[in-house]
Amino acid sequence: MAHQIALGESMPTDPLLLLEQLTAFPHRGAASKSNAKAAEIIVNELKKAEFSVDFQSFRTPPTYLPVIYWLIGGLITGLLTIQWLGWASVILVALFAINGLLYFDWRPSIFLFLPPLVQAKNIIGRHSLPTAKRKLILMAHYDSAPVSSLYSRQSKDGFRNSIRASMVLMALAVPIVGLSYHLPQNNYLLVIRILLSMYFVGQAILGTAVFWQKGYTNGASDNATGVVAALKTAEHLKTQLKNTEIEIVLTNAEEVGMVGAYYYWKSLQRQSQLTDGSLYLINFDTLGSGQLKVITQTGSMTLIEYDNIVTQSAINIIQNNRHFGQVSTGSWHTADFDSAWFVRAGIPCVTLSALDENGLMPHIHRPEDTLDHVDTQPMLLAIDLAKAVALALDKKSYTLSK
């Protein structure tokens, strides 16, 4: 951490005006000039709300595109060179397949560290409380996503099944290339290797070609709404919490693979703060269309369940408070929320997101993710719900680890 910033004195910005400011740029792609300008707005907002501010710098791929190209390139190279490279091809396919499975199950993999790498930063605002018994982390990512044709005709099951099919074929590539080493003249195995290579190339084209035409999304719903919700929740809570200090974490490179949240999680791990029962987290992601949901389940290949005191507190509030009558629980068909690192580590957390009647997030990763397609009601409800959860847990006298 570095670059401490002095406190400001002016009043915080209205949430809708702040949303307009964050969406005034064409995009907020990680490490881009627009990303840096958005960071300036966020820092200014934190200063006005009298939070101290630090930056956490880290290295990351600029988008998930290099990850895809590394993965596909490694798999295809191994599949098509087995006659010449022998065991080296088998090892290459195994290495890239294993790390591909890890990446698409949203776990640490080598692809987070392969070039090209750019310098990005998380923004961390703190409001210290000498009497605090625990820490509330309010998290949202402020980068925006590359445009992808994979989201043009979403279906919840179809998208999940597409990811799972690719993961199964990655795993299948390992025994296929191993058999090909032992049976180099087998034409059936040759055909299978060619078909697998064609499939992987097709997936790479489908997943990345539109970005080269249209670039990044504006990211109004995903995730300017989440940033506004996190900032405004923090501003409201800083004078109301008696036993809890606030740390607001605006992460970068979430759209690469939750990279900023990974580095923040690792920093807490190094400080031995993950197991002492003093931390809990509220994550805000994509609150611009549909109905507000308390996410209870995500996962692409392996299941992630949000079953902890923070999620249960949110569920109890929406079930017993008429103000939240339109809020319900929901599930997401992949695991790509920043909170994935924390729930897997046993940190009590809840993710608040907005889904439509089909369980989807309209317009995400599409050119249509602009301010004119945003309904601010889920965002404002998320602020109210997060405040209610934090105030309820602030009264608890015990640790929150289980």
Side-chain angles (χ1 to χ4, degrees):
M1 305 290 180
H3 316 302
Q4 189 110 13
I5 295 175
L7 301 179
E9 298 181 353
S10 54
M11 294 297 292
T13 310
D14 173 84
L16 302 186
L17 177 58
L18 179 58
L19 185 62
E20 291 181 3
Q21 292 175 350
L22 289 171
T23 56
F25 312 108
H27 64 83
R28 298 181 306 279
S32 66
K33 291 182 179 179
S34 295
N35 183 273
K37 291 178 181 178
E40 291 176 5
I41 293 173
I42 292 167
V43 169
N44 185 55
E45 191 65 20
L46 287 166
K47 290 169 59 179
K48 288 193 292 184
E50 299 186 339
F51 282 75
S52 64
V53 181
D54 288 319
F55 299 129
Q56 181 185 34
S57 296
F58 58 93
R59 301 280 287 173
T60 177
T63 68
Y64 59 75
L65 276 71
V67 173
I68 301 299
Y69 297 149
W70 270 110
L71 173 59
I72 301 306
L75 290 173
I76 291 175
T77 299
L79 285 167
L80 299 183
T81 61
I82 184 66
Q83 289 94 338
W84 302 280
L85 299 183
W87 272 109
S89 292
V90 178
I91 293 171
L92 184 66
V93 170
L95 174 66
F96 280 85
I98 290 169
N99 280 277
L101 292 172
L102 291 171
Y103 181 80
F104 286 106
D105 202 36
W106 314 113
R107 298 176 186 273
S109 76
I110 62 169
F111 298 122
L112 301 184
F113 314 107
L114 293 178
L117 297 175
V118 296
Q119 194 78 16
K121 63 184 178 183
N122 296 329
I123 305 168
I124 302 175
R126 295 187 176 91
H127 184 265
S128 299
L129 186 65
T131 59
K133 300 176 182 177
R134 61 182 67 96
K135 179 189 293 184
L136 164 62
I137 301 168
L138 298 171
M139 181 172 285
H141 72 89
Y142 70 95
D143 61 312
S144 58
V147 176
S148 173
S149 61
L150 293 175
Y151 289 81
S152 59
R153 291 185 297 276
Q154 286 190 83
S155 72
K156 186 173 182 180
D157 292 333
F159 195 87
R160 180 196 288 119
N161 291 338
S162 174
I163 291 177
R164 288 179 174 175
S166 294
M167 294 172 78
V168 167
L169 291 176
M170 278 186 265
L172 180 63
V174 179
I176 291 297
V177 77
L179 285 172
S180 297
Y181 173 76
H182 292 288
L183 302 170
Q185 304 304 318
N186 189 297
N187 289 328
Y188 293 107
L189 291 172
L190 174 61
V191 169
I192 293 173
R193 296 202 315 273
I194 292 172
L195 290 175
L196 282 173
S197 298
M198 292 173 62
Y199 173 83
F200 292 137
V201 169
Q203 288 296 98
I205 293 172
L206 185 63
T208 67
V210 177
F211 170 73
W212 298 114
Q213 298 175 334
K214 299 186 178 181
Y216 294 90
T217 70
N218 177 260
S221 180
D222 179 22
N223 187 36
T225 55
V227 172
V228 173
L231 287 167
K232 294 306 163 183
T233 300
E235 291 170 9
H236 286 294
L237 286 175
K238 68 174 186 174
T239 59
Q240 298 181 47
L241 298 180
K242 307 301 181 185
N243 301 300
T244 309
E245 66 180 8
I246 300 171
E247 188 157 295
I248 179 168
V249 182
L250 289 312
T251 64
N252 210 341
E254 189 268 357
E255 300 293 1
V256 181
M258 296 102 71
V259 183
Y262 168 78
Y263 279 99
Y264 177 74
W265 169 70
K266 291 296 288 185
S267 72
L268 294 180
Q269 189 180 56
R270 288 191 296 270
Q271 299 166 30
S272 301
Q273 294 187 35
L274 294 179
T275 58
D276 62 4
S278 65
L279 300 178
Y280 70 105
L281 182 145
I282 301 176
N283 184 48
F284 306 87
D285 199 339
T286 312
L287 296 163
S289 185
Q291 291 188 329
L292 180 62
K293 302 289 183 180
V294 175
I295 301 298
T296 57
Q297 190 178 96
T298 64
S300 47
M301 184 60 74
T302 59
L303 189 65
I304 299 177
E305 293 187 281
Y306 290 73
D307 183 13
N308 56 72
I309 190 172
V310 185
T311 298
Q312 289 303 321
S313 177
I315 293 172
N316 181 64
I317 289 168
I318 65 175
Q319 290 176 343
N320 294 284
N321 188 325
R322 293 170 60 186
H323 178 63
F324 302 108
Q326 297 300 312
V327 184
S328 60
T329 58
S331 63
W332 184 235
H333 50 284
T334 61
D336 51 342
F337 288 122
D338 276 338
S339 53
W341 306 113
F342 299 87
V343 70
R344 280 184 169 140
I347 303 302
C349 57
V350 64
T351 289
L352 302 180
S353 187
L355 307 178
D356 66 13
E357 63 276 8
N358 298 313
L360 302 173
M361 300 174 185
H363 311 308
I364 63 167
H365 296 212
R366 300 297 301 156
E368 296 78 26
D369 188 8
T370 53
L371 186 59
D372 57 317
H373 288 101
V374 167
D375 174 7
T376 58
Q377 185 63 20
M379 179 185 76
L380 298 174
L381 265 178
I383 296 170
D384 290 345
L385 180 55
K387 286 162 37 182
V389 170
L391 289 170
L393 295 176
D394 188 57
K395 300 173 183 176
K396 304 291 186 182
S397 60
Y398 48 83
T399 59
L400 304 173
S401 57
K402 297 294 181 183

